[in-house]
Every structure is written in C-alpha cells, then in structure tokens.
Amino acid sequence: MSAHPAPFSVGLDRLDEFDTIIDVRSPAEFAEDHIPGAINCPVLDDEERVRVGTLYKQVSPFEARKVGAALVSRNIARHIETHFLSKPKSWKPLIYCWRGGQRSGAMTVVLGQIGWAARRLEGGYKTFRQGVLEALDALPPTLRFNILCGPTGSAKTALLDALAAEGAQVLDLEGLACHRGSVLGGAPNTNQPGQKAFETRLWSALRGFDPARPVWAESESRRVGRLHVPGVLFECLRDGECTLVQAPLEARVDHLLERYADLIADPAAFNEKLARLVPQHGHERVGGWQALVDAGTWRQLAEELVSLHYDPAYKRGGEGLYRRVEAARLLPLASLDAPALAAAARELAAAG
C-alpha cells in the first residue's frame, strides 16, 4: 500500500490542531519515545514488524508487501472497532509512523475513506525528533531561569512544587527524569525514561513556558540518574539567577526522613543503595550505615548521611557549576514543613 499523497500530510507546526495523535509504530518504538499525548495503535506489532522486515531482506520487497498488507489491514480493522467507532464525523486524527511512509499512509487512507479528516505527519517521528533537538537548542536562550540552590535536604524539590501551586512556571528536572538526583534517588515505583523520551518531555515543558515570566528550576548536575540534561539547556540553567535555601540540620533531617519514606519502608532496598557508596566511603562506614538501617535508627542515619556524605559532596562541587551562586538571594527557613514552604513560595513568586 503506497504512502498517501502530499495534500493529506501536515507539518510539525500543526501538531496542536488535532483531536487525537495516533502513533502507528510498533509498541517497542512507541515505548522508546513518542509525541506527547499520542496513543499507540500499531499497524504492525513488534513480531510482525520483524517478520515483514525479514521477508523484505531475505525474499523480496513484493512478498513482504503482500504479507504486510494483510497484517496491516487486520490491525487497522481491529483499531477501528476498538478505538474509533464512537468518534463523530468531526473527529480530526493525526497519524504518524517512523518516516511518514507506508504504515501511517495506510491508516490515513482508511480513516479518510470513512469520512474523518485524517492527516499524516510529514516525515513522521524522524522529523518530530529532529524538531525536538532543534527546539532544545533554540528555546532555552529565550527563557529566564531562577535556580533554587542549597545542600541535600533543603527541600528544593518540595519548594518547586509549592511554586507550581502558586502558579509559577517550573521546570522539574527530577520529576521529568523520574529520579531524585542522588545515589539514593530512584523515584519510588518508577523507571527512568530513555534519553530520547526525557528530551521529548523537556521539549514539551519548554515550549509551554511564557518567555516574559521566570522559569524556576533546582540546581542539578548535568546528569540526573542515568540521563543527561542537553547542553544548551544546561548552560542556560548555569547562567540563571540563584536563590540559596538555608535551613538548620534538624529541619533538613526531618525533610529527608519524610522524603525517603519509601526507602525506610524497604530496608533491603535501602541497604542495596547504600552499598553503592562503598567506593567513596569504604566498607566499614557503609557497614555502619547499613547496621543503622537494620536497627531502624533512621534519624541518626539521616544525620550521618548529611554530615558525612551529602554536605562534603556539596562543598566539593555542588553548586559551583552555577555561575551566579556567589550572588545568590538568601532564603533562610527555620522549618521545611508544608506551611513554611508555601509561605516561601508565595514570597518568591511575588518577587519573580
């Protein structure tokens, strides 16, 4: 089945005009990355894609197209019955595959013949991916970043959440990366996305910001877990105005105990993460921390991790990456509980 004629294709600039974005690639392709908000209605599943591709290479393109057409037709019929029968005549779907070729063309033809204003994304995911990379270079310099600084346990992430609740623009790198930014930091019950999907999430966030208003973020290293922040964005973050959160040790420990409640609830997983600190601290010290886990002596553990691991690491490098940290606005907080953070967020949002 040939690709649909050009008049039924649209460019990336029209993404927001459609009611539904349909990704017809295989589930594995979709899982790696996809246009935000897209639904996956594969015209060939993972096994079928391999089967047709093998026929194409080992037998002939003609044999592959025959088998592929039968599979694609059955799959499109199933998607219509499962997903689309309830759609009104006014429904406008946008369809894409890897390069805007036969897979998306087939779905576009069928939905168009039914009477829906179906369109295919010109160039498919490949063009979308190129657009994401270009935007990740172009968008960050148009934005003004405000950076929350402070050592581990200063509630920077919680303060970002409070700022968002006040209506401020927030770029939550840890949230987008599904990681809490330290060796103990895998977010509970989640896996990190792949690098491509992380970059798509960043693109989606950046394109929604108003350049006339500041964007708040927290100080991060270039890597968040196993992902890295794209170069232009990271350099723009490094140039942001800084706000330094200052809180007493007791308040920071209280906050860490609350933040790592999931680890406290799973001592075996906590000890496994602590084992990764052996190269830095040696078996004896880490063994002592693991003994505190086994004994449930959480406050002492948190105090030692802050004083012996996190704060020395912060002094070694930490926010030295951020060029304006020496001129940071100071934000002293006696407490890091929710009311204190809400009040601080209101003050920061008002100041801009």
Side-chain angles (χ1 to χ4, degrees):
M1 197 174 286
S2 62
H4 207 56
F8 292 93
S9 296
V10 299
L12 275 177
D13 58 329
R14 295 181 61 187
L15 272 184
D16 298 327
E17 297 179 15
F18 293 86
D19 300 316
T20 308
I21 300 176
I22 303 171
D23 186 324
V24 299
R25 298 175 304 155
S26 69
E29 292 172 289
F30 182 82
E32 182 182 27
D33 186 32
H34 54 268
I35 296 176
I39 63 171
N40 189 209
C41 296
V43 297
L44 294 172
D45 67 23
D46 297 320
E47 282 187 22
E48 291 165 346
R49 183 167 173 250
V50 170
R51 178 183 167 195
V52 172
T54 302
L55 275 174
Y56 190 96
K57 292 176 183 176
Q58 296 184 358
V59 182
S60 73
F62 178 65
E63 291 300 319
R65 288 193 184 101
K66 284 194 294 184
V67 171
L71 294 170
V72 166
S73 298
R74 279 197 292 270
N75 288 330
I76 290 176
R78 188 179 72 255
H79 293 315
I80 291 171
E81 292 170 346
T82 305
H83 298 290
F84 309 141
L85 280 182
S86 63
K87 301 298 183 185
K89 192 173 188 300
S90 59
W91 181 55
K92 290 178 59 178
L94 177 66
I95 298 132
Y96 73 94
C97 59
W98 166 239
R99 286 184 298 194
Q102 293 181 332
R103 288 185 288 175
S104 57
M107 178 78 90
T108 305
V109 166
V110 174
L111 297 188
Q113 288 293 316
I114 291 170
W116 288 307
R119 295 294 182 266
R120 180 186 58 178
L121 180 63
E122 185 71 40
Y125 170 80
K126 188 176 181 182
T127 294
F128 168 74
R129 172 68 180 162
Q130 186 58 41
V132 166
L133 294 176
E134 291 171 2
L136 287 176
D137 285 343
L139 288 175
T142 70
L143 301 170
R144 175 165 60 94
F145 291 102
N146 284 353
I147 308 300
L148 294 177
C149 301
T152 296
S154 300
K156 299 185 293 292
T157 301
L159 186 51
L160 276 187
D161 292 341
L163 279 161
E166 289 295 318
Q169 299 188 129
V170 167
L171 180 65
D172 182 1
L173 293 172
E174 291 186 3
L176 295 173
C178 297
H179 198 274
R180 290 182 293 209
S182 73
V183 72
L184 301 179
N189 303 316
T190 59
N191 293 315
Q192 284 199 276
Q195 183 66 30
K196 288 181 180 179
F198 177 54
E199 289 169 359
T200 293
R201 292 178 181 190
L202 289 170
W203 165 83
S204 185
L206 293 173
R207 73 192 287 256
F209 291 141
D210 177 359
R213 299 170 57 217
V215 176
W216 291 87
E218 67 175 290
S219 57
E220 300 282 357
S221 64
R222 176 71 183 270
R223 296 189 71 84
V224 186
R226 58 180 173 78
L227 303 174
H228 67 268
V229 180
V232 172
L233 173 58
F234 190 61
E235 290 305 311
C236 289
L237 291 168
R238 291 183 68 199
D239 280 332
E241 293 184 17
C242 294
T243 297
L244 180 61
V245 182
Q246 297 176 314
L249 177 62
E250 183 178 358
R252 290 168 60 202
V253 167
D254 287 341
H255 180 70
L256 282 174
L257 290 174
E258 180 182 339
R259 190 176 186 219
Y260 289 112
D262 59 292
L263 282 176
I264 289 172
D266 189 351
F270 205 153
N271 275 334
E272 188 177 320
K273 288 178 181 287
L274 287 171
R276 300 174 196 169
L277 299 178
V278 167
Q280 290 172 261
H281 295 281
H283 288 282
E284 184 177 351
R285 177 175 286 173
V286 171
W289 289 338
Q290 290 173 326
L292 293 176
V293 170
D294 294 337
T297 314
W298 304 114
R299 177 164 289 276
Q300 182 182 345
L301 174 64
E303 289 174 352
E304 291 193 18
L305 284 172
V306 167
S307 60
L308 298 176
H309 174 67
Y310 285 122
D311 283 1
Y314 179 77
K315 289 171 184 171
R316 284 195 302 271
E319 278 143 9
L321 288 169
Y322 288 80
R323 299 183 178 99
R324 301 166 75 175
V325 71
E326 294 297 327
R329 163 175 46 188
L330 301 183
L331 181 64
L333 295 174
S335 169
L336 297 174
D337 61 15
L341 294 177
R346 282 193 294 274
E347 177 185 328
L348 292 175

